[in-house]
Every structure is written in C-alpha cells, then in structure tokens.
C-alpha cells in the first residue's frame, strides 16, 4: 500500500512537471529561433536582444511575486478542500495583474530609450534595442491575464493546457519569424523588427487559447465567475500580495543584480553582453527541465502542507531534487563535449565561438548546484515561508555583484570570473536552503 502511494505521488509529480517543461522548452526554442535568425543576419542584433531581455525581464518581478502567492494559496486551499476561498483568490488576481501589466507597458513603450541608455547601450545597438522592445511590450497589456491563468492552473495541478499553448505559440512564432524576418510570401524583410512582431502575434494567440481553456473547458475544482473579474475584491488580492511580496523582492534583487551585470559587461566590450546572453540562452534548456520539477514541487508541497502531510512533502521534494540534478549532469556533459556545435547555430563569428564555448563548457557544473538550490527554494516557498528565500537572495546579490566586479576588472578574468562567482554562490546557498527545508522548517 505504501509503495503504491509513493508510486502514485511520483506519477503525479511527472504529470504536473512534464507539461510545464514542454511549455517552457517550446517557448525557449521560440526565443532561440529568434536569436538564430537575427544573429546570422547581424551579430549586433544579439547584443540588442541581450540588452532588451535582461532589463525587460527584470521589471516583471512583481508578476513573479503575485504568481508565487497565488499558486501557493490556491494549492493550499485545494489541499484543504476550501474551494470557495481558492475561487475568490483567483478572481481577484485577474483584475489587479492586468492593471499592473498595463502600467508596465506604458513605461516600456515611452521610456525604452532612457532605460537602455542608463544601462550603457549606445549607437546602433541602442536603436535596435528600442525598436525591438516597443513592439514586444504591447503584449504587456495582456500579460497579467496569462500570469493569473497559469498560476491558477499550476496551483490546482492541471498543467496540460499550459503545455498545449506553449507548443502552439512556438509553432506560430517560428513560422512568423521565417515569414517576417526574411520577407517571404510577399512580406517585407523586416529583420529584427520582424522577430519582435512574430513574438508579439504568437504571444497574443497563446494567451487567448490559455484564457479559453481556463474559463470554458472546466479544468478547475471550482468555477470562476467572469463577472467577478470586473468587480475586484481587494482582500483576497491583499493576501496574495502579502505572501508573494518577499518573493517579489527576492526576484527583484536577482534581476537588479542582472541589471548591474549588464552595466559591468557593457564596460568589457561591445560583444560581452551578447556572448553572455547567448550562453545563458543555451544553458537555459536544462534549467527549464528542472524548473518543471520545481514548479511541481510548489504545487505538491503546497497541497500536502494544506493537508498537514509534512513528511510526504519532504520526500517528494527530495525526489524532485534527485531528478533535477541527474538531468543537469547529463546536459553538462553535452555542453562540455560539443560547445562549438551548439554556438554555431546562432553565429559563425570566430570571436563569439571561442569566448562562448569556454563559458558553455563550465556551465554544466553551475547548473548542478543551481538545480538543487532552486528546487529547495520552491519547496520552502510552498510552505508559506517566502521570507527565508528573500534573505538568501539578499546575500546572493551582494556576493555575486561584489565578487564579480573583483574578478572581472581586478583579476582580469572577464566573463569567466562572473561564471565562477555565480557557481560558488549557487553551491553555498543550495546547501543552506537544503538544510533549511529538511531540518529547519517548522510545520
């Protein structure tokens, strides 16, 4: 009986994790396709996209906060069978997330040039960056809807619609990339602007399908009232925000660290940010795999915590960590053996090939440490303890920024110094967070 229950729990872990993985991997393939197409047109486009995506993603930290709070609270209330509370939380999130995302659109559309100038972009790279972000930022008007929908589905444990949408979105994006970047079938060759427009259109299609799956297909143990979306209830959203704010500040610190790194990298040379962004894009593939297990851990630990099954929560977390670490070991070996083959997909520039290949070889070790840290962190958040991970990130941001500046400029290690610093940070915080969850969390 005990073995059957454990087997069922592992199957549930994969049932939740696999759709999230597939959705994220297909979405990432969509981004890689953009970079492969535009990078082979002009290497400066890689720096433009790199300058855009790091600050653009950094400013979405508030959505991470609300998504974390919403997923955890929905999971815990589903675990204790309080479906009415889960419904009220879900309805409240839609209105306020849309309000926040619309405000962020205005910031990017009208303030893009000043933002990129602040972080050191100049000349043609600055012009390309502004043009690109003004197109993709239109989707922010609808981004709040997607975040609310995905968070609710993850909290319930119904993640298959997320996977389906990811596959459809990626198909449309790759097709539209080919059509608009190069100008086939009578369309003008739009270059980088075509890549941005393809991303915008495919995101809009994906959001519409995801919204349909939540409201019209009945995938939830409770029913969301569409009319309630236009009559926002502040109190449920306040509970979501209070739980999620530490996670939001945590991701803000992480992204603020990335923004500071952009400034540091732009001081090395014009291509440093493009190389860093390119290597990060390739190594994100195993990250998306273990993030699927981390997200499943959030759902299952949250539901077990609601049911007061604390020992089961710790066992399922350990299982997720084992799978995640094993995945990163395999991918790390691939990166070490054929870095040049992977980098050539995006550019044939010999300087980029040499510098990016060196970083990709050592990224596998970084990923092993990082995966253990991330899974432990998601488990800690699922218990409702979001402050601990904030404290962990405060240390991580200070350490990485301070030591990276030392290794990049004083020791003259360049991008290698940044990677070695990040590796040590993930190792130490991974150990501490592992011990915190298994021995320090008090139910």
């Amino acid at each position: 009986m005990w073995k059957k229950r454990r087997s069922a729990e592992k199957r549930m872990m994969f049932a939740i994790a696999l759709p999230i993985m597939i959705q994220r991997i297909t979405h990432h393939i969509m981004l890689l396709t953009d970079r492969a197409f535009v990078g082979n047109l002009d290497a400066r486009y890689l720096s433009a996209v790199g300058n855009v995506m790091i600050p653009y993603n950094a400013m979405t930290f508030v959505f991470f906060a609300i998504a974390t709070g919403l997923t955890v609270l929905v999971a815990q209330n589903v675990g204790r069978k309080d479906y009415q509370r889960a419904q009220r939380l879900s309805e409240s999130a839609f209105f306020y997330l849309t309000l926040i995302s619309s405000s962020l659109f205005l910031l990017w559309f009208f303030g893009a040039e000043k933002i990129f100038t602040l972080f050191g972009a100049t000349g043609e790279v600055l012009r390309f960056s502004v043009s690109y972000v003004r197109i993709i930022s239109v989707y922010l008007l609808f981004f709040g809807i997607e975040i609310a929908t995905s968070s609710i589905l993850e909290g319930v444990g119904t993640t298959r619609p997320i996977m389906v949408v990811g596959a459809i979105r990626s198909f449309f994006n790759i097709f539209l990339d080919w059509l608009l970047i190069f100008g086939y079938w009578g369309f003008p060759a739009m270059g980088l602007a075509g890549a941005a427009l393809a991303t915008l259109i495919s995101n809009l299609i994906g959001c519409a399908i995801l919204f349909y799956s939540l409201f019209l297909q009945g995938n939830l143990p409770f029913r969301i009232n569409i009319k309630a979306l236009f009559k926002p209830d502040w109190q449920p959203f306040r509970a979501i925000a209070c739980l999620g704010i530490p996670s939001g500040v945590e991701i803000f610190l992480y992204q603020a660290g990335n923004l500071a790194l952009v400034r540091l990298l732009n001081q090395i040379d014009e291509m440093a940010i493009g190389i860093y962004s390119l290597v990060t894009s390739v190594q994100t593939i195993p990250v998306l795999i273990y993030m699927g297990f981390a997200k499943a851990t959030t759902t299952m630990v949250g539901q077990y915590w609601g049911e007061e099954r604390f020992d089961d929560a710790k066992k399922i977390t350990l299982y997720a960590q084992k799978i995640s670490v094993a995945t990163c070991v395999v991918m790390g070996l691939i990166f070490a053996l054929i870095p040049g083959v992977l980098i050539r997909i995006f550019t044939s520039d010999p300087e980029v090939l040499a510098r990016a290949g060196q970083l990709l070889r050592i990224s596998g070790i970084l990923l092993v440490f990082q995966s253990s840290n991330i899974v432990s962190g998601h488990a800690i958040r699922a218990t409702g303890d979001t402050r601990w991970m904030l404290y962990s990130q405060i240390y991580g941001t200070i350490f990485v920024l301070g030591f990276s500046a030392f290794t990049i400029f004083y020791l003259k290690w360049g991008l290698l110094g940044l990677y070695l610093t990040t590796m040590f940070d993930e190792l130490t915080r991974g150990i501490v967070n592992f011990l915190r969850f298994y021995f320090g969390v008090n139910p």
Side-chain angles (χ1 to χ4, degrees), residues 46-59:
L46 291 175
S47 288
V49 174
N51 271 292
V52 168
M53 297 316 298
I54 294 177
Y56 185 81
N57 290 334
M59 292 189 185

Side-chain angles (χ1 to χ4, degrees), residues 185-229:
W185 291 3
F187 285 87
M190 299 173 65
L192 188 63
L197 187 59
T199 298
L200 171 62
I201 295 172
S202 59
N203 280 338
L204 290 172
I205 293 171
C207 183
I209 297 172
L210 194 63
F211 188 78
Y212 167 82
S213 71
L214 182 72
F215 282 91
L216 300 179
Q217 290 191 334
N219 292 314
L220 305 177
F222 52 87
R223 186 174 182 82
I224 294 178
N225 184 354
I226 295 182
K227 293 182 179 179
L229 304 185

Side-chain angles (χ1 to χ4, degrees), residues 107-320:
L107 173 66
W108 273 114
F109 193 82
F110 295 105
E113 185 170 355
K114 291 183 178 179
I115 293 172
F116 294 134
T117 301
L118 177 65
F119 292 107
T122 58
E124 288 292 284
V125 170
L126 173 61
R127 184 173 67 83
F128 293 149
S129 299
V130 172
S131 173
Y132 185 80
V133 82
R134 280 182 174 162
I135 296 173
I136 66 170
S137 66
V138 174
Y139 182 62
L140 287 171
L141 294 170
F142 306 90
F143 187 56
I145 295 173
E146 178 177 339
I147 291 295
T149 303
S150 298
S151 300
I152 294 165
L153 291 171
E154 288 176 13
V156 172
T158 303
T159 55
R160 186 171 296 178
I162 298 174
M163 173 188 69
V164 173
V165 166
I168 294 173
R169 187 191 333 235
S170 296
F171 168 78
F172 274 103
N173 189 84
I174 292 171
F175 172 70
L176 291 172
D177 269 344
W178 174 79
L179 202 65
L180 300 176
I181 292 174
F182 302 109
Y184 293 107
W185 291 3
F187 285 87
M190 299 173 65
L192 188 63
L197 187 59
T199 298
L200 171 62
I201 295 172
S202 59
N203 280 338
L204 290 172
I205 293 171
C207 183
I209 297 172
L210 194 63
F211 188 78
Y212 167 82
S213 71
L214 182 72
F215 282 91
L216 300 179
Q217 290 191 334
N219 292 314
L220 305 177
F222 52 87
R223 186 174 182 82
I224 294 178
N225 184 354
I226 295 182
K227 293 182 179 179
L229 304 185
F230 302 96
K231 299 176 182 179
D233 189 347
W234 169 248
Q235 290 304 319
F237 186 77
R238 183 175 180 274
I240 295 169
C242 287
L243 180 60
I245 281 173
S247 293
V249 177
E250 173 198 341
I251 199 65
F252 172 76
L253 289 172
Y254 173 78
Q255 298 288 15
N258 282 339
L259 292 175
L261 289 176
V262 170
R263 185 74 180 181
L264 292 177
L265 295 176
N266 277 323
Q267 291 178 43
I268 298 175
D269 57 59
E270 186 182 50
M271 290 307 300
I273 183 62
I275 293 168
Y276 174 73
S277 177
L278 176 58
V279 174
T280 302
S281 297
V282 175
Q283 74 180 45
T284 295
I285 295 172
V287 171
L288 298 177
I289 296 174
Y290 73 66
M291 280 300 296
F293 290 111
K295 285 287 188 179
T297 300
T298 300
T299 299
M300 296 185 70
V301 170
Q303 292 183 3
Y304 289 164
W305 230 251
E307 298 177 67
E308 300 186 358
R309 293 168 56 188
F310 306 120
D311 288 339
D312 289 338
K314 293 182 178 182
K315 289 174 182 176
I316 202 65
T317 301
L318 183 60
Y319 178 69

Side-chain angles (χ1 to χ4, degrees), residues 89-102:
L89 290 163
S90 302
E91 292 169 347
S92 177
F94 272 97
F95 177 85
Y96 290 104
L97 278 170
T98 301
L99 184 65
I100 294 168
S101 64
S102 298

